[in-house]
């Protein structure tokens, strides 16, 4: 395709996008008005499917395919960043101090909040269908709680508690589980992401059917992605250094290894 043809195609695409966006914006309800059709439809649908958390009903039921796309973008982005953070030829590993100097008060707060944060993260993921939260929020809380060990100067313990090969598997497992649940709905009920799990009463842990399962799948992928991402950044900041050029004196020679 010639350059002129590509530019014409780009212009047509942009013009089409602008027209679609303009039609959508002009069709929105007036700002500050009393008519909220999207809210009314979304809340009614969440009640029909016994999902107390209307936001989770939108994310994992009414627009579950969009959520799958967002989860895929997250996993792909983390894979790209991890590839960029890999050691290059001119970099070498150095010994990281296993016990970093931190204040005693910081160690104490880490010991207190480390288990609390992990429990909160598990709760946010598991109860995402009935209380505020869900897989995205809970996954970030879990990964953050795990890295409190680094704040408390326990980098070696952090490395032992986040084996990266395992988190790489759980990241992929979360993504595969999400689409597998969606395909189960297609196979059983004829629609992608249809609920195929028995539902209970509104407010019960299992009331929302597949919404809770999808929330857990997203939580698994998100916590794994954030752990892999932060591991790459910490590796760059702590464990890697640039090799000196040939003939250049290295003042850290011997001390850094």
């Amino acid at each position: 395709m010639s350059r002129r043809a590509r530019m014409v195609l780009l212009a047509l695409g942009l013009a089409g996008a602008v027209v679609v966006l303009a039609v959508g914006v002009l069709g929105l309800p007036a700002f500050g008005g009393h008519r909220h059709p999207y809210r009314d439809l979304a809340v009614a649908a969440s009640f029909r499917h016994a999902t107390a958390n209307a936001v989770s009903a939108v994310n994992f039921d009414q627009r579950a395919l969009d959520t799958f796309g967002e989860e895929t973008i997250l996993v792909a982005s983390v894979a790209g960043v991890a590839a960029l953070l890999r050691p290059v030829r001119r970099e070498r590993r150095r010994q990281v101090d296993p016990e970093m100097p931190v204040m005693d008060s910081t160690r104490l707060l880490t010991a207190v909040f480390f288990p609390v944060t992990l429990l909160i993260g598990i709760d946010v993921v598991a109860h995402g269908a009935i209380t505020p939260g869900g897989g995205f929020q809970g996954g970030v809380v879990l990964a953050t709680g795990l890295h409190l060990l680094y704040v408390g100067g326990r980098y070696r313990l952090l490395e032992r508690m986040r084996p990266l090969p395992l988190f790489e598997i759980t990241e992929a497992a979360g993504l595969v589980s999400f689409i597998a649940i969606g395909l189960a709905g297609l196979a059983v009920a004829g629609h992608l992401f249809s609920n195929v799990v028995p539902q209970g009463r509104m407010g019960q842990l299992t009331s929302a059917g597949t919404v809770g399962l999808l929330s857990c799948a997203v939580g698994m992928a998100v916590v794994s992605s954030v752990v892999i991402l932060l591991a790459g950044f910490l590796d760059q900041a702590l464990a890697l250094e640039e090799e000196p050029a040939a003939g250049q004196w290295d003042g850290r020679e011997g001390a850094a290894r």
Side-chain angles (χ1 to χ4, degrees):
M1 183 181 293
S2 66
R3 176 181 173 83
R4 182 173 183 178
R6 291 199 301 270
M7 295 304 294
V8 170
L9 188 61
L10 174 62
L12 290 176
L14 291 176
V18 169
V19 170
V20 171
L21 182 62
V23 171
V25 171
L26 293 175
L28 289 174
F31 180 75
H34 299 287
R35 193 170 70 88
H36 303 284
Y38 187 83
R39 176 202 62 186
D40 297 339
L41 292 172
V43 173
S46 67
F47 270 86
R48 281 198 304 272
H49 296 171
T51 306
N53 185 353
V55 176
S56 289
V58 173
N59 289 335
F60 303 120
D61 184 11
Q62 301 162 41
R63 297 178 56 183
L65 184 60
D66 291 353
T67 302
F68 175 67
E70 294 163 359
E71 187 183 7
T72 305
I73 291 172
L74 172 66
V75 173
S77 301
V78 170
V81 173
L84 291 175
L85 292 175
R86 287 181 305 177
V88 296
R89 287 184 178 179
R90 63 178 183 276
E91 290 180 331
R92 65 182 180 185
R93 291 198 169 274
R94 63 180 176 183
Q95 189 73 33
V96 179
D97 187 357
E99 297 294 334
M100 300 178 181
V102 297
M103 298 174 62
D104 291 339
S105 58
T106 303
R107 291 185 185 274
L108 176 62
L109 290 175
T110 298
V112 172
F113 285 106
F114 173 69
V116 174
T117 308
L118 293 184
L119 287 176
I120 291 175
I122 294 172
D123 179 80
V124 170
V125 173
H127 295 86
I130 58 177
T131 58
F136 281 106
Q137 301 90 332
V140 173
V141 172
L142 280 170
T144 303
L146 195 59
H147 285 82
L148 285 178
L149 293 173
Y150 170 69
V151 177
R154 306 298 302 276
Y155 184 67
R156 286 294 180 217
L157 181 58
L158 171 63
E159 285 188 317
R160 288 198 294 270
M161 294 194 65
R162 57 149 172 75
L164 292 181
L166 176 63
F167 277 96
E168 290 170 356
I169 293 174
T170 54
E171 182 188 38
L175 188 63
V176 171
S177 299
F178 195 98
I179 191 60
I181 295 171
L183 292 175
L186 178 63
V188 176
H191 299 285
L192 191 63
F193 291 107
S194 290
N195 179 53
V196 293
V197 177
Q199 294 175 284
R201 290 187 305 170
M202 174 79 84
Q204 291 180 334
L205 180 61
T206 58
S207 63
T210 55
V211 171
L213 298 177
L214 293 172
S215 174
C216 291
V218 168
M220 189 188 309
V222 170
V223 64
S224 304
S225 297
V226 176
V227 165
I228 293 171
L229 190 64
L230 292 179
F233 284 123
L234 288 176
D235 208 37
Q236 280 285 332
L238 302 176
L240 296 178
E241 63 180 1
E242 189 171 356
E243 286 187 340
Q248 179 181 352
W249 179 77
D250 183 7
R252 292 165 298 188
E253 190 71 24
R257 295 184 180 180

